[in-house]
Amino acid sequence: MKRYLSSFTLPSKTDQEFALGKAVNRRTCYQNVYPFGVFGAWEETRLEMEPITILYGGNGSGKTTLLNLMGDALGLERRSVYNRAAFFQNFVDLCQWEGERQMPAGSAVLTSDDVFDDLLDLRSLNEGIDLDRQALLREYKDLRSQGFQLRSLDDYGHLKKVISAQRNTGSAFVRQELGGELRGKSNGETALAYFTSRVTEGRLYLLDEPENSLSADYQQALARFLEDSARFYRCQLVIATHSPFLLALKGAAVYDLDAQPPCRRPWRELPAMQTWAAFFRAHQGEWEDDKEENHETR
């Protein structure tokens, strides 16, 4: 099994504060300092990377931000627009990594938003509609960085757009602006096919919640595919996920980003997995009742 990336280190709180102070002093106006502050309570944190590394944490724990920092620091390909705010590069410059001097060609960041982008492209081809997705994504990036004050009801429509851009991902913003439902295979089968066709041998992939849109069966199929990709086809995978099927990937190193500081933890000990386990234990009697009823009807 292959490791192209050996470790990734996030800066300490002190280094972040020093670098942010210098960056702010060079600018006359700023609204937010993302991604500074996302990992503000952490000391310098070094993540040792394995052939499969899982990033776990609740909403706001920094899973996606960490993947985006890795992708930028390593110069990986990516498709979907992401939150690259004014101070993003300043934070990237503080991060350190060890591994091969150059990542294999074609190594990439893959997200669930990419699946939606594919569906948009398919709709354009099948229906001859120019969705102008790139123009909407450029508008999304501009709106995210805007400050806006409502002066009259005439400004209300623009204010709604600003709020939508700041609250949603790029694909969610495009979906909202386009309206309507996408035709075609806009289901788990399409999402699974995207990842299985995009991941090829001998590369590093950062996957951001690839389980989105996938049923439990398809999540298990994706898990088997990813295990085989790492074991037999020299892929290295870093995955941000909530899915128990992906958290339980064989041989994966699971980092709990909710812990202070983040630490490796068996997937069964993660708080969310404990919650699921408690839920199913509480309802175990219902399965037993179902078995008895089925037995009596035979």
Side-chain angles (χ1 to χ4, degrees), residues 116-162:
F116 179 71
D117 290 339
D118 262 21
L119 292 173
L120 289 179
D121 291 341
L122 182 62
R123 177 178 171 185
S124 296
L125 290 171
N126 289 345
E127 302 180 15
I129 298 173
D130 180 9
L131 300 177
D132 203 7
R133 174 168 49 85
Q134 293 303 321
L136 282 170
L137 289 174
R138 286 193 294 272
E139 182 182 13
Y140 167 77
K141 291 181 68 176
D142 292 340
L143 290 171
R144 281 192 69 91
S145 60
Q146 281 187 16
F148 186 76
Q149 184 173 358
L150 183 67
R151 294 181 176 85
S152 72
L153 288 178
D154 294 336
D155 298 331
Y156 183 66
H158 185 68
L159 176 62
K160 287 177 65 178
K161 270 196 170 185
V162 172

mmCIF file of all heavy atoms in Angstrom, residues 116-162:
data_model
loop_
_atom_site.group_PDB
_atom_site.id
_atom_site.type_symbol
_atom_site.label_atom_id
_atom_site.label_comp_id
_atom_site.label_asym_id
_atom_site.label_seq_id
_atom_site.Cartn_x
_atom_site.Cartn_y
_atom_site.Cartn_z
ATOM 1 N N PHE A 116 -22.892 16.864 -8.790
ATOM 2 C CA PHE A 116 -23.899 17.796 -9.279
ATOM 3 C C PHE A 116 -23.416 18.509 -10.537
ATOM 4 O O PHE A 116 -24.182 18.722 -11.490
ATOM 5 C CB PHE A 116 -24.251 18.807 -8.193
ATOM 6 C CG PHE A 116 -25.263 19.832 -8.624
ATOM 7 C CD1 PHE A 116 -26.589 19.472 -8.822
ATOM 8 C CD2 PHE A 116 -24.885 21.144 -8.835
ATOM 9 C CE1 PHE A 116 -27.521 20.418 -9.232
ATOM 10 C CE2 PHE A 116 -25.810 22.090 -9.237
ATOM 11 C CZ PHE A 116 -27.135 21.723 -9.446
ATOM 12 N N ASP A 117 -22.137 18.884 -10.564
ATOM 13 C CA ASP A 117 -21.593 19.520 -11.758
ATOM 14 C C ASP A 117 -21.720 18.604 -12.976
ATOM 15 O O ASP A 117 -22.023 19.060 -14.080
ATOM 16 C CB ASP A 117 -20.116 19.877 -11.540
ATOM 17 C CG ASP A 117 -19.944 21.014 -10.552
ATOM 18 O OD1 ASP A 117 -20.916 21.766 -10.340
ATOM 19 O OD2 ASP A 117 -18.846 21.147 -9.993
ATOM 20 N N ASP A 118 -21.469 17.318 -12.782
ATOM 21 C CA ASP A 118 -21.612 16.371 -13.877
ATOM 22 C C ASP A 118 -23.058 16.307 -14.369
ATOM 23 O O ASP A 118 -23.323 16.203 -15.565
ATOM 24 C CB ASP A 118 -21.159 14.973 -13.430
ATOM 25 C CG ASP A 118 -19.737 14.678 -13.859
ATOM 26 O OD1 ASP A 118 -19.003 15.641 -14.132
ATOM 27 O OD2 ASP A 118 -19.363 13.496 -13.918
ATOM 28 N N LEU A 119 -24.000 16.348 -13.418
ATOM 29 C CA LEU A 119 -25.406 16.319 -13.797
ATOM 30 C C LEU A 119 -25.788 17.563 -14.602
ATOM 31 O O LEU A 119 -26.565 17.489 -15.553
ATOM 32 C CB LEU A 119 -26.289 16.213 -12.551
ATOM 33 C CG LEU A 119 -26.208 14.891 -11.786
ATOM 34 C CD1 LEU A 119 -26.988 14.990 -10.489
ATOM 35 C CD2 LEU A 119 -26.733 13.752 -12.636
ATOM 36 N N LEU A 120 -25.232 18.713 -14.229
ATOM 37 C CA LEU A 120 -25.489 19.928 -14.992
ATOM 38 C C LEU A 120 -24.952 19.805 -16.410
ATOM 39 O O LEU A 120 -25.598 20.202 -17.385
ATOM 40 C CB LEU A 120 -24.853 21.125 -14.296
ATOM 41 C CG LEU A 120 -25.486 21.600 -12.987
ATOM 42 C CD1 LEU A 120 -24.706 22.786 -12.438
ATOM 43 C CD2 LEU A 120 -26.934 21.970 -13.188
ATOM 44 N N ASP A 121 -23.741 19.259 -16.527
ATOM 45 C CA ASP A 121 -23.154 19.082 -17.852
ATOM 46 C C ASP A 121 -24.007 18.144 -18.695
ATOM 47 O O ASP A 121 -24.206 18.361 -19.893
ATOM 48 C CB ASP A 121 -21.727 18.531 -17.728
ATOM 49 C CG ASP A 121 -20.770 19.550 -17.126
ATOM 50 O OD1 ASP A 121 -21.106 20.752 -17.137
ATOM 51 O OD2 ASP A 121 -19.703 19.140 -16.657
ATOM 52 N N LEU A 122 -24.490 17.061 -18.060
ATOM 53 C CA LEU A 122 -25.317 16.096 -18.775
ATOM 54 C C LEU A 122 -26.615 16.744 -19.246
ATOM 55 O O LEU A 122 -27.068 16.505 -20.372
ATOM 56 C CB LEU A 122 -25.632 14.909 -17.855
ATOM 57 C CG LEU A 122 -26.464 13.783 -18.460
ATOM 58 C CD1 LEU A 122 -25.724 13.154 -19.631
ATOM 59 C CD2 LEU A 122 -26.777 12.731 -17.400
ATOM 60 N N ARG A 123 -27.200 17.564 -18.397
ATOM 61 C CA ARG A 123 -28.429 18.254 -18.796
ATOM 62 C C ARG A 123 -28.158 19.183 -19.970
ATOM 63 O O ARG A 123 -28.966 19.287 -20.904
ATOM 64 C CB ARG A 123 -28.985 19.045 -17.617
ATOM 65 C CG ARG A 123 -30.236 19.849 -17.960
ATOM 66 C CD ARG A 123 -30.758 20.559 -16.720
ATOM 67 N NE ARG A 123 -31.817 21.507 -17.078
ATOM 68 C CZ ARG A 123 -32.382 22.331 -16.216
ATOM 69 N NH1 ARG A 123 -32.016 22.313 -14.953
ATOM 70 N NH2 ARG A 123 -33.316 23.172 -16.597
ATOM 71 N N SER A 124 -27.033 19.878 -19.969
ATOM 72 C CA SER A 124 -26.695 20.768 -21.076
ATOM 73 C C SER A 124 -26.570 20.000 -22.380
ATOM 74 O O SER A 124 -27.047 20.429 -23.430
ATOM 75 C CB SER A 124 -25.381 21.499 -20.774
ATOM 76 O OG SER A 124 -25.516 22.330 -19.656
ATOM 77 N N LEU A 125 -25.927 18.841 -22.322
ATOM 78 C CA LEU A 125 -25.734 18.038 -23.525
ATOM 79 C C LEU A 125 -27.048 17.459 -24.032
ATOM 80 O O LEU A 125 -27.333 17.477 -25.227
ATOM 81 C CB LEU A 125 -24.739 16.906 -23.240
ATOM 82 C CG LEU A 125 -23.287 17.322 -23.031
ATOM 83 C CD1 LEU A 125 -22.471 16.134 -22.546
ATOM 84 C CD2 LEU A 125 -22.698 17.876 -24.325
ATOM 85 N N ASN A 126 -27.850 16.938 -23.117
ATOM 86 C CA ASN A 126 -29.075 16.251 -23.513
ATOM 87 C C ASN A 126 -30.172 17.200 -23.971
ATOM 88 O O ASN A 126 -30.965 16.864 -24.852
ATOM 89 C CB ASN A 126 -29.603 15.402 -22.352
ATOM 90 C CG ASN A 126 -28.718 14.198 -22.098
ATOM 91 O OD1 ASN A 126 -27.890 13.850 -22.932
ATOM 92 N ND2 ASN A 126 -28.889 13.569 -20.956
ATOM 93 N N GLU A 127 -30.237 18.392 -23.366
ATOM 94 C CA GLU A 127 -31.339 19.282 -23.655
ATOM 95 C C GLU A 127 -30.920 20.521 -24.439
ATOM 96 O O GLU A 127 -31.744 21.355 -24.781
ATOM 97 C CB GLU A 127 -32.009 19.709 -22.347
ATOM 98 C CG GLU A 127 -32.528 18.534 -21.527
ATOM 99 C CD GLU A 127 -33.188 18.984 -20.236
ATOM 100 O OE1 GLU A 127 -33.491 20.183 -20.111
ATOM 101 O OE2 GLU A 127 -33.396 18.130 -19.371
ATOM 102 N N GLY A 128 -29.631 20.647 -24.717
ATOM 103 C CA GLY A 128 -29.173 21.802 -25.469
ATOM 104 C C GLY A 128 -29.333 23.106 -24.722
ATOM 105 O O GLY A 128 -29.513 24.167 -25.316
ATOM 106 N N ILE A 129 -29.267 23.050 -23.391
ATOM 107 C CA ILE A 129 -29.439 24.252 -22.573
ATOM 108 C C ILE A 129 -28.075 24.751 -22.105
ATOM 109 O O ILE A 129 -27.272 23.999 -21.571
ATOM 110 C CB ILE A 129 -30.307 23.947 -21.334
ATOM 111 C CG1 ILE A 129 -31.700 23.494 -21.777
ATOM 112 C CG2 ILE A 129 -30.409 25.170 -20.434
ATOM 113 C CD1 ILE A 129 -32.555 23.020 -20.630
ATOM 114 N N ASP A 130 -27.818 26.034 -22.327
ATOM 115 C CA ASP A 130 -26.589 26.639 -21.832
ATOM 116 C C ASP A 130 -26.852 27.130 -20.421
ATOM 117 O O ASP A 130 -27.463 28.178 -20.215
ATOM 118 C CB ASP A 130 -26.160 27.795 -22.736
ATOM 119 C CG ASP A 130 -24.873 28.441 -22.239
ATOM 120 O OD1 ASP A 130 -24.249 27.880 -21.308
ATOM 121 O OD2 ASP A 130 -24.492 29.493 -22.766
ATOM 122 N N LEU A 131 -26.408 26.368 -19.429
ATOM 123 C CA LEU A 131 -26.682 26.724 -18.038
ATOM 124 C C LEU A 131 -25.748 27.813 -17.507
ATOM 125 O O LEU A 131 -25.992 28.385 -16.457
ATOM 126 C CB LEU A 131 -26.563 25.461 -17.167
ATOM 127 C CG LEU A 131 -27.522 24.329 -17.525
ATOM 128 C CD1 LEU A 131 -27.263 23.121 -16.659
ATOM 129 C CD2 LEU A 131 -28.956 24.788 -17.363
ATOM 130 N N ASP A 132 -24.680 28.052 -18.252
ATOM 131 C CA ASP A 132 -23.731 29.093 -17.843
ATOM 132 C C ASP A 132 -23.304 28.912 -16.396
ATOM 133 O O ASP A 132 -23.308 29.848 -15.596
ATOM 134 C CB ASP A 132 -24.333 30.481 -18.046
ATOM 135 C CG ASP A 132 -23.246 31.555 -18.175
ATOM 136 O OD1 ASP A 132 -22.065 31.174 -18.234
ATOM 137 O OD2 ASP A 132 -23.574 32.738 -18.204
ATOM 138 N N ARG A 133 -22.946 27.677 -16.072
ATOM 139 C CA ARG A 133 -22.563 27.370 -14.701
ATOM 140 C C ARG A 133 -21.342 28.169 -14.254
ATOM 141 O O ARG A 133 -21.262 28.617 -13.112
ATOM 142 C CB ARG A 133 -22.274 25.867 -14.584
ATOM 143 C CG ARG A 133 -21.721 25.440 -13.249
ATOM 144 C CD ARG A 133 -21.732 23.925 -13.125
ATOM 145 N NE ARG A 133 -21.167 23.277 -14.274
ATOM 146 C CZ ARG A 133 -19.850 23.060 -14.444
ATOM 147 N NH1 ARG A 133 -19.012 23.445 -13.516
ATOM 148 N NH2 ARG A 133 -19.396 22.449 -15.506
ATOM 149 N N GLN A 134 -20.381 28.343 -15.165
ATOM 150 C CA GLN A 134 -19.164 29.052 -14.784
ATOM 151 C C GLN A 134 -19.463 30.506 -14.401
ATOM 152 O O GLN A 134 -18.877 31.041 -13.458
ATOM 153 C CB GLN A 134 -18.144 28.998 -15.926
ATOM 154 C CG GLN A 134 -17.608 27.608 -16.212
ATOM 155 C CD GLN A 134 -16.977 26.975 -14.989
ATOM 156 O OE1 GLN A 134 -16.296 27.645 -14.209
ATOM 157 N NE2 GLN A 134 -17.201 25.679 -14.812
ATOM 158 N N ALA A 135 -20.379 31.144 -15.124
ATOM 159 C CA ALA A 135 -20.731 32.521 -14.787
ATOM 160 C C ALA A 135 -21.380 32.587 -13.409
ATOM 161 O O ALA A 135 -21.110 33.497 -12.618
ATOM 162 C CB ALA A 135 -21.677 33.091 -15.845
ATOM 163 N N LEU A 136 -22.246 31.613 -13.105
ATOM 164 C CA LEU A 136 -22.885 31.589 -11.800
ATOM 165 C C LEU A 136 -21.874 31.331 -10.691
ATOM 166 O O LEU A 136 -21.966 31.901 -9.592
ATOM 167 C CB LEU A 136 -23.980 30.525 -11.767
ATOM 168 C CG LEU A 136 -25.303 30.904 -12.461
ATOM 169 C CD1 LEU A 136 -26.203 29.684 -12.578
ATOM 170 C CD2 LEU A 136 -26.002 32.015 -11.708
ATOM 171 N N LEU A 137 -20.884 30.469 -10.957
ATOM 172 C CA LEU A 137 -19.865 30.186 -9.953
ATOM 173 C C LEU A 137 -18.979 31.411 -9.725
ATOM 174 O O LEU A 137 -18.551 31.677 -8.597
ATOM 175 C CB LEU A 137 -19.032 28.982 -10.373
ATOM 176 C CG LEU A 137 -19.751 27.631 -10.301
ATOM 177 C CD1 LEU A 137 -18.878 26.526 -10.882
ATOM 178 C CD2 LEU A 137 -20.139 27.294 -8.872
ATOM 179 N N ARG A 138 -18.711 32.171 -10.798
ATOM 180 C CA ARG A 138 -17.951 33.411 -10.607
ATOM 181 C C ARG A 138 -18.747 34.404 -9.776
ATOM 182 O O ARG A 138 -18.205 35.086 -8.892
ATOM 183 C CB ARG A 138 -17.587 34.012 -11.974
ATOM 184 C CG ARG A 138 -16.485 33.261 -12.712
ATOM 185 C CD ARG A 138 -15.964 34.078 -13.871
ATOM 186 N NE ARG A 138 -16.969 34.271 -14.908
ATOM 187 C CZ ARG A 138 -17.174 33.440 -15.919
ATOM 188 N NH1 ARG A 138 -16.424 32.339 -16.026
ATOM 189 N NH2 ARG A 138 -18.084 33.691 -16.836
ATOM 190 N N GLU A 139 -20.048 34.477 -10.048
ATOM 191 C CA GLU A 139 -20.906 35.354 -9.247
ATOM 192 C C GLU A 139 -20.917 34.901 -7.794
ATOM 193 O O GLU A 139 -20.877 35.724 -6.863
ATOM 194 C CB GLU A 139 -22.331 35.353 -9.806
ATOM 195 C CG GLU A 139 -23.275 36.281 -9.044
ATOM 196 C CD GLU A 139 -24.695 36.236 -9.571
ATOM 197 O OE1 GLU A 139 -25.017 35.307 -10.355
ATOM 198 O OE2 GLU A 139 -25.482 37.118 -9.199
ATOM 199 N N TYR A 140 -20.949 33.574 -7.583
ATOM 200 C CA TYR A 140 -20.926 33.022 -6.227
ATOM 201 C C TYR A 140 -19.672 33.471 -5.478
ATOM 202 O O TYR A 140 -19.750 33.915 -4.327
ATOM 203 C CB TYR A 140 -20.977 31.499 -6.329
ATOM 204 C CG TYR A 140 -20.658 30.758 -5.054
ATOM 205 C CD1 TYR A 140 -21.576 30.647 -4.027
ATOM 206 C CD2 TYR A 140 -19.412 30.140 -4.887
ATOM 207 C CE1 TYR A 140 -21.284 29.957 -2.867
ATOM 208 C CE2 TYR A 140 -19.113 29.441 -3.740
ATOM 209 C CZ TYR A 140 -20.048 29.355 -2.728
ATOM 210 O OH TYR A 140 -19.745 28.654 -1.588
ATOM 211 N N LYS A 141 -18.525 33.400 -6.121
ATOM 212 C CA LYS A 141 -17.277 33.798 -5.470
ATOM 213 C C LYS A 141 -17.291 35.283 -5.127
ATOM 214 O O LYS A 141 -16.839 35.691 -4.056
ATOM 215 C CB LYS A 141 -16.089 33.480 -6.387
ATOM 216 C CG LYS A 141 -15.821 31.996 -6.558
ATOM 217 C CD LYS A 141 -14.627 31.747 -7.449
ATOM 218 C CE LYS A 141 -13.342 32.193 -6.794
ATOM 219 N NZ LYS A 141 -12.150 31.872 -7.632
ATOM 220 N N ASP A 142 -17.810 36.100 -6.040
ATOM 221 C CA ASP A 142 -17.871 37.538 -5.775
ATOM 222 C C ASP A 142 -18.814 37.847 -4.610
ATOM 223 O O ASP A 142 -18.491 38.662 -3.742
ATOM 224 C CB ASP A 142 -18.340 38.280 -7.028
ATOM 225 C CG ASP A 142 -17.313 38.241 -8.152
ATOM 226 O OD1 ASP A 142 -16.129 37.985 -7.853
ATOM 227 O OD2 ASP A 142 -17.704 38.436 -9.325
ATOM 228 N N LEU A 143 -19.961 37.198 -4.606
ATOM 229 C CA LEU A 143 -20.959 37.477 -3.573
ATOM 230 C C LEU A 143 -20.480 37.064 -2.192
ATOM 231 O O LEU A 143 -20.805 37.694 -1.181
ATOM 232 C CB LEU A 143 -22.274 36.769 -3.894
ATOM 233 C CG LEU A 143 -23.063 37.322 -5.091
ATOM 234 C CD1 LEU A 143 -24.215 36.393 -5.437
ATOM 235 C CD2 LEU A 143 -23.580 38.720 -4.797
ATOM 236 N N ARG A 144 -19.688 35.962 -2.121
ATOM 237 C CA ARG A 144 -19.215 35.480 -0.813
ATOM 238 C C ARG A 144 -18.350 36.523 -0.111
ATOM 239 O O ARG A 144 -18.298 36.573 1.111
ATOM 240 C CB ARG A 144 -18.434 34.176 -0.977
ATOM 241 C CG ARG A 144 -19.293 32.952 -1.151
ATOM 242 C CD ARG A 144 -18.453 31.702 -1.001
ATOM 243 N NE ARG A 144 -17.999 31.534 0.361
ATOM 244 C CZ ARG A 144 -18.648 30.865 1.300
ATOM 245 N NH1 ARG A 144 -19.809 30.307 1.028
ATOM 246 N NH2 ARG A 144 -18.155 30.741 2.506
ATOM 247 N N SER A 145 -17.653 37.321 -0.884
ATOM 248 C CA SER A 145 -16.720 38.282 -0.287
ATOM 249 C C SER A 145 -17.330 39.668 -0.119
ATOM 250 O O SER A 145 -16.665 40.589 0.339
ATOM 251 C CB SER A 145 -15.463 38.386 -1.156
ATOM 252 O OG SER A 145 -15.790 38.834 -2.465
ATOM 253 N N GLN A 146 -18.593 39.826 -0.507
ATOM 254 C CA GLN A 146 -19.223 41.142 -0.442
ATOM 255 C C GLN A 146 -19.776 41.451 0.942
ATOM 256 O O GLN A 146 -20.339 40.593 1.600
ATOM 257 C CB GLN A 146 -20.381 41.242 -1.446
ATOM 258 C CG GLN A 146 -19.962 41.488 -2.871
ATOM 259 C CD GLN A 146 -21.153 41.741 -3.769
ATOM 260 O OE1 GLN A 146 -22.247 42.023 -3.292
ATOM 261 N NE2 GLN A 146 -20.943 41.641 -5.076
ATOM 262 N N GLY A 147 -19.621 42.688 1.339
ATOM 263 C CA GLY A 147 -20.381 43.201 2.456
ATOM 264 C C GLY A 147 -21.564 43.950 1.874
ATOM 265 O O GLY A 147 -21.430 44.648 0.870
ATOM 266 N N PHE A 148 -22.717 43.833 2.468
ATOM 267 C CA PHE A 148 -23.897 44.462 1.864
ATOM 268 C C PHE A 148 -24.844 44.934 2.951
ATOM 269 O O PHE A 148 -25.106 44.218 3.915
ATOM 270 C CB PHE A 148 -24.623 43.472 0.944
ATOM 271 C CG PHE A 148 -25.762 44.092 0.171
ATOM 272 C CD1 PHE A 148 -25.505 44.899 -0.920
ATOM 273 C CD2 PHE A 148 -27.073 43.883 0.563
ATOM 274 C CE1 PHE A 148 -26.550 45.477 -1.633
ATOM 275 C CE2 PHE A 148 -28.120 44.455 -0.136
ATOM 276 C CZ PHE A 148 -27.857 45.252 -1.246
ATOM 277 N N GLN A 149 -25.345 46.146 2.770
ATOM 278 C CA GLN A 149 -26.277 46.719 3.737
ATOM 279 C C GLN A 149 -27.578 47.069 3.021
ATOM 280 O O GLN A 149 -27.573 47.731 1.974
ATOM 281 C CB GLN A 149 -25.682 47.983 4.362
ATOM 282 C CG GLN A 149 -26.571 48.572 5.465
ATOM 283 C CD GLN A 149 -25.879 49.714 6.168
ATOM 284 O OE1 GLN A 149 -24.743 50.037 5.863
ATOM 285 N NE2 GLN A 149 -26.567 50.332 7.104
ATOM 286 N N LEU A 150 -28.674 46.602 3.576
ATOM 287 C CA LEU A 150 -29.992 46.866 2.999
ATOM 288 C C LEU A 150 -30.378 48.321 3.238
ATOM 289 O O LEU A 150 -30.487 48.763 4.370
ATOM 290 C CB LEU A 150 -31.023 45.920 3.625
ATOM 291 C CG LEU A 150 -32.451 46.024 3.076
ATOM 292 C CD1 LEU A 150 -32.504 45.551 1.626
ATOM 293 C CD2 LEU A 150 -33.394 45.174 3.928
ATOM 294 N N ARG A 151 -30.557 49.067 2.122
ATOM 295 C CA ARG A 151 -30.934 50.475 2.243
ATOM 296 C C ARG A 151 -32.398 50.707 1.904
ATOM 297 O O ARG A 151 -33.010 51.659 2.375
ATOM 298 C CB ARG A 151 -30.046 51.316 1.326
ATOM 299 C CG ARG A 151 -28.577 51.315 1.737
ATOM 300 C CD ARG A 151 -27.745 52.193 0.815
ATOM 301 N NE ARG A 151 -26.367 52.264 1.259
ATOM 302 C CZ ARG A 151 -25.447 51.360 0.945
ATOM 303 N NH1 ARG A 151 -25.779 50.320 0.197
ATOM 304 N NH2 ARG A 151 -24.215 51.476 1.393
ATOM 305 N N SER A 152 -32.957 49.866 1.063
ATOM 306 C CA SER A 152 -34.368 49.988 0.700
ATOM 307 C C SER A 152 -34.855 48.624 0.235
ATOM 308 O O SER A 152 -34.058 47.696 0.019
ATOM 309 C CB SER A 152 -34.564 51.023 -0.406
ATOM 310 O OG SER A 152 -34.074 50.524 -1.646
ATOM 311 N N LEU A 153 -36.155 48.504 0.045
ATOM 312 C CA LEU A 153 -36.714 47.228 -0.422
ATOM 313 C C LEU A 153 -36.222 46.873 -1.817
ATOM 314 O O LEU A 153 -36.242 45.707 -2.208
ATOM 315 C CB LEU A 153 -38.244 47.298 -0.396
ATOM 316 C CG LEU A 153 -38.876 47.271 1.004
ATOM 317 C CD1 LEU A 153 -40.385 47.393 0.888
ATOM 318 C CD2 LEU A 153 -38.502 45.988 1.740
ATOM 319 N N ASP A 154 -35.763 47.868 -2.588
ATOM 320 C CA ASP A 154 -35.228 47.582 -3.919
ATOM 321 C C ASP A 154 -33.963 46.737 -3.844
ATOM 322 O O ASP A 154 -33.589 46.071 -4.813
ATOM 323 C CB ASP A 154 -34.921 48.897 -4.656
ATOM 324 C CG ASP A 154 -36.183 49.687 -4.965
ATOM 325 O OD1 ASP A 154 -37.261 49.058 -5.046
ATOM 326 O OD2 ASP A 154 -36.081 50.922 -5.128
ATOM 327 N N ASP A 155 -33.286 46.779 -2.699
ATOM 328 C CA ASP A 155 -32.040 46.018 -2.528
ATOM 329 C C ASP A 155 -32.285 44.598 -2.028
ATOM 330 O O ASP A 155 -31.340 43.826 -1.891
ATOM 331 C CB ASP A 155 -31.115 46.727 -1.512
ATOM 332 C CG ASP A 155 -30.712 48.111 -1.977
ATOM 333 O OD1 ASP A 155 -30.647 48.321 -3.205
ATOM 334 O OD2 ASP A 155 -30.469 48.972 -1.121
ATOM 335 N N TYR A 156 -33.522 44.267 -1.731
ATOM 336 C CA TYR A 156 -33.814 42.997 -1.054
ATOM 337 C C TYR A 156 -33.392 41.788 -1.897
ATOM 338 O O TYR A 156 -32.835 40.817 -1.376
ATOM 339 C CB TYR A 156 -35.298 42.910 -0.730
ATOM 340 C CG TYR A 156 -35.670 41.658 0.040
ATOM 341 C CD1 TYR A 156 -35.192 41.457 1.329
ATOM 342 C CD2 TYR A 156 -36.482 40.682 -0.528
ATOM 343 C CE1 TYR A 156 -35.511 40.318 2.044
ATOM 344 C CE2 TYR A 156 -36.816 39.544 0.170
ATOM 345 C CZ TYR A 156 -36.334 39.362 1.451
ATOM 346 O OH TYR A 156 -36.660 38.231 2.145
ATOM 347 N N GLY A 157 -33.640 41.830 -3.207
ATOM 348 C CA GLY A 157 -33.279 40.698 -4.065
ATOM 349 C C GLY A 157 -31.786 40.430 -4.053
ATOM 350 O O GLY A 157 -31.353 39.275 -3.979
ATOM 351 N N HIS A 158 -30.984 41.503 -4.108
ATOM 352 C CA HIS A 158 -29.534 41.318 -4.080
ATOM 353 C C HIS A 158 -29.068 40.813 -2.720
ATOM 354 O O HIS A 158 -28.168 39.977 -2.635
ATOM 355 C CB HIS A 158 -28.832 42.631 -4.410
ATOM 356 C CG HIS A 158 -27.347 42.500 -4.523
ATOM 357 N ND1 HIS A 158 -26.730 41.807 -5.545
ATOM 358 C CD2 HIS A 158 -26.339 42.949 -3.727
ATOM 359 C CE1 HIS A 158 -25.421 41.847 -5.389
ATOM 360 N NE2 HIS A 158 -25.157 42.532 -4.290
ATOM 361 N N LEU A 159 -29.691 41.289 -1.652
ATOM 362 C CA LEU A 159 -29.343 40.830 -0.321
ATOM 363 C C LEU A 159 -29.580 39.329 -0.184
ATOM 364 O O LEU A 159 -28.760 38.603 0.398
ATOM 365 C CB LEU A 159 -30.155 41.589 0.728
ATOM 366 C CG LEU A 159 -29.955 41.148 2.185
ATOM 367 C CD1 LEU A 159 -28.514 41.373 2.621
ATOM 368 C CD2 LEU A 159 -30.915 41.895 3.105
ATOM 369 N N LYS A 160 -30.703 38.835 -0.737
ATOM 370 C CA LYS A 160 -30.986 37.408 -0.686
ATOM 371 C C LYS A 160 -29.897 36.609 -1.395
ATOM 372 O O LYS A 160 -29.504 35.531 -0.951
ATOM 373 C CB LYS A 160 -32.345 37.118 -1.328
ATOM 374 C CG LYS A 160 -33.530 37.561 -0.482
ATOM 375 C CD LYS A 160 -34.847 37.315 -1.197
ATOM 376 C CE LYS A 160 -35.091 35.832 -1.414
ATOM 377 N NZ LYS A 160 -36.403 35.583 -2.067
ATOM 378 N N LYS A 161 -29.385 37.138 -2.512
ATOM 379 C CA LYS A 161 -28.321 36.446 -3.231
ATOM 380 C C LYS A 161 -27.039 36.392 -2.408
ATOM 381 O O LYS A 161 -26.344 35.381 -2.371
ATOM 382 C CB LYS A 161 -28.043 37.138 -4.568
ATOM 383 C CG LYS A 161 -28.858 36.615 -5.731
ATOM 384 C CD LYS A 161 -28.257 37.074 -7.046
ATOM 385 C CE LYS A 161 -28.919 36.369 -8.201
ATOM 386 N NZ LYS A 161 -28.275 36.720 -9.488
ATOM 387 N N VAL A 162 -26.711 37.508 -1.763
ATOM 388 C CA VAL A 162 -25.504 37.555 -0.928
ATOM 389 C C VAL A 162 -25.608 36.528 0.197
ATOM 390 O O VAL A 162 -24.671 35.768 0.472
ATOM 391 C CB VAL A 162 -25.285 38.963 -0.350
ATOM 392 C CG1 VAL A 162 -24.150 38.957 0.675
ATOM 393 C CG2 VAL A 162 -24.988 39.962 -1.460
#
